[in-house]
Amino acid sequence: MRQILFIASLLLFQSLLAQGGMYDICPIKNSQEIPSALVYDQEGQSVDLKSYVGNRKVVLVFYRGGWCPYCTRHLSALGEVKDAIDSLGFELIALTPDHFERLDSSIKKSGNDSYALFSDKNIQAIQAFGIGWKVDDQLYNKYKENYNLDTEWWSGEKHHVLPVPSVFIVSEGKIKFQHVDPKYSQRLSPELLLAFLAAVE
């Protein structure tokens, strides 16, 4: 029994160690201007994120992908308060390292088609916002073999980088608030997001 517990503990420790990179990120700071980064809309057209946002009030949501149930539930919950977000003068945008041809999966699983999704398959925005971490070979193979999850298939790229799930509130081209949590199961609730939006001038 002790041997079984020891092995289980060792496997858990190795899994946590493999994902430790998500705790080493350095997100962009509040009051900084949002960076330029090329992302792609659902038709595959490139868009410069900084130019797209301009001086408007925007909520930028970074999520891991359409394969992540925590992410699609969060997208769904945000979609349910989109009218309230709109009424506060903000536009809701979500970004993922998924290839633009895979964005439909996020829409279907979240039940959302009310706000824009962008592909950051080349991870320009993820890296520029300082929230990217690299899935090492051990964890990549574990995802692929044990969970039938191939991040290369989802992104169409071999960078093996995922974002720490994050929400950035932007106004006049600058970061006003951010919620970045390496514990990927914990997300900013719609209620708290609305409260923060109401406080942004």
Side-chain angles (χ1 to χ4, degrees):
M1 183 64 178
R2 288 183 179 179
Q3 186 177 9
I4 293 174
L5 290 174
F6 172 77
I7 294 173
S9 298
L10 181 61
L11 290 173
L12 177 60
F13 174 76
Q14 290 176 336
S15 177
L16 292 173
L17 188 63
Q19 299 182 64
M22 67 180 68
Y23 290 91
D24 294 330
I25 61 170
C26 184
I28 192 171
K29 304 295 188 292
N30 289 344
S31 80
Q32 285 188 257
E33 291 187 1
I34 68 168
S36 292
L38 284 183
V39 295
Y40 299 86
D41 64 19
Q42 287 179 253
E43 284 70 47
Q45 297 297 312
S46 62
V47 177
D48 180 75
L49 185 62
K50 183 180 179 69
S51 299
Y52 181 87
V53 172
N55 289 322
R56 292 177 296 146
K57 292 183 175 182
V58 174
V59 178
L60 296 176
V61 179
F62 287 86
Y63 69 101
R64 302 193 302 168
W67 51 269
C68 171
Y70 297 103
C71 298
T72 52
R73 283 198 294 268
H74 193 220
L75 294 180
S76 178
L78 294 176
E80 291 177 2
V81 296
K82 183 181 178 296
D83 288 346
I85 293 173
D86 291 345
S87 70
L88 291 169
F90 285 84
E91 179 179 352
L92 180 61
I93 299 171
L95 302 101
T96 174
D98 286 354
H99 192 278
F100 54 81
E101 292 179 351
R102 314 274 187 254
L103 293 177
D104 281 347
S105 179
S106 294
I107 294 172
K108 290 176 182 176
K109 292 180 180 179
S110 67
N112 160 67
D113 60 1
S114 61
Y115 57 90
L117 302 183
F118 287 97
S119 166
D120 187 22
K121 67 185 186 69
N122 296 325
I123 61 171
Q124 287 191 20
I126 290 168
Q127 298 290 50
F129 277 77
I131 56 172
W133 66 283
K134 187 168 184 177
V135 176
D136 64 23
D137 291 343
Q138 177 185 353
L139 187 57
Y140 170 75
N141 289 326
K142 179 180 179 180
Y143 281 166
K144 188 174 180 180
E145 295 170 7
N146 294 1
Y147 305 109
N148 196 29
L149 165 58
D150 187 349
T151 56
E152 289 185 7
W153 183 85
W154 280 94
S155 68
E157 305 291 338
K158 296 185 178 181
H159 49 65
H160 295 183
V161 172
L162 294 176
V164 168
S166 308
V167 176
F168 295 90
I169 296 174
V170 181
S171 180
E172 298 180 345
K174 294 183 178 181
I175 306 295
K176 299 297 183 179
F177 169 82
Q178 60 178 278
H179 180 272
V180 182
D181 194 339
K183 296 180 181 178
Y184 57 82
S185 62
Q186 298 184 18
R187 306 299 172 98
L188 181 66
S189 71
E191 294 77 17
L192 274 178
L193 173 60
L194 292 175
F196 285 124
L197 295 182
V200 173
E201 297 180 356

